[in-house]
Amino acid sequence: MADTEFVIEPGRQDILMIREFDAPPDVVFRVITDPELIPRWWGPSFLTTRVDRMEVAVGGRWRFVNVDRRGREFFFSGVYHAVVPPERYVRTWEFEGAPEDVALETVTLTAQGGGTRYTAQSVHPSVESRDAIIRADGPRGGRESMDRLAALVADL
């Protein structure tokens, strides 16, 4: 299984997450935009995920809930600004516990040798808000999500 690469440069407001998948872009796009499949891969493995809303269309809203073992809920939400199947989507991304730190996320899927290169760029409102994601161990959760996504894509 390929590793997930992160590009986190000092002084910048963005995070790049890159992963290769052994499936064509249409399969990967379907998995990352299917509300029935999101709970099987989104978030770190120690949390469960519930999809409250997922309207994958321009202007559509999404809201996912991560639940820990003690039943505490963590809400994430946003709005889709562009959807171009199976190439990319652009959406806002907000942890509802910090609503002032809305990021703009662009996920791009590029065909590559029978597989797909997944690139997610999240641009945060400031370097400080980007760094808060790093301190909260966001890359660990992203890496676990990508590992789970790779396993799911391989099963389909």
Side-chain angles (χ1 to χ4, degrees):
M1 187 176 299
D3 287 330
T4 302
E5 175 187 353
F6 286 88
V7 179
I8 303 168
E9 297 179 3
R12 290 184 49 112
Q13 294 171 236
D14 65 331
I15 299 171
L16 278 178
M17 182 171 64
I18 304 162
R19 179 71 179 247
E20 307 285 334
F21 293 101
D22 290 328
D26 62 316
V27 172
V28 177
F29 191 86
R30 182 175 64 85
V31 174
I32 66 175
T33 59
D34 184 335
E36 298 295 319
L37 297 176
I38 296 296
R40 295 176 58 187
W41 69 269
W42 201 83
S45 58
F46 65 90
L47 300 171
T48 59
T49 299
R50 179 178 77 238
V51 175
D52 277 355
R53 185 177 194 172
M54 190 170 184
E55 304 158 344
V56 185
V58 174
R61 298 192 170 277
W62 68 277
R63 187 174 196 237
F64 302 163
V65 184
N66 282 148
V67 183
D68 71 11
R69 290 181 180 102
R70 296 188 330 201
R72 291 182 301 175
E73 296 181 327
F74 306 91
F75 299 88
F76 302 86
S77 61
V79 176
Y80 286 92
H81 292 271
V83 179
V84 184
E87 298 169 12
R88 72 181 170 94
Y89 65 72
V90 179
R91 68 183 183 182
T92 54
W93 188 98
E94 170 187 335
F95 170 56
E96 292 180 10
E100 65 282 356
D101 287 338
V102 178
L104 185 65
E105 177 186 56
T106 301
V107 172
T108 305
L109 305 176
T110 308
Q112 201 165 355
T116 300
R117 180 181 178 91
Y118 173 107
T119 304
Q121 179 188 39
S122 58
V123 180
H124 298 265
S126 68
V127 173
E128 294 77 20
S129 64
R130 191 275 317 252
D131 289 349
I133 299 293
I134 307 308
R135 285 192 304 277
D137 218 4
R140 176 181 155 214
R143 187 170 285 109
E144 286 187 41
S145 290
M146 293 294 100
D147 289 348
R148 295 172 67 198
L149 178 58
L152 180 57
V153 166
D155 284 347
L156 296 180

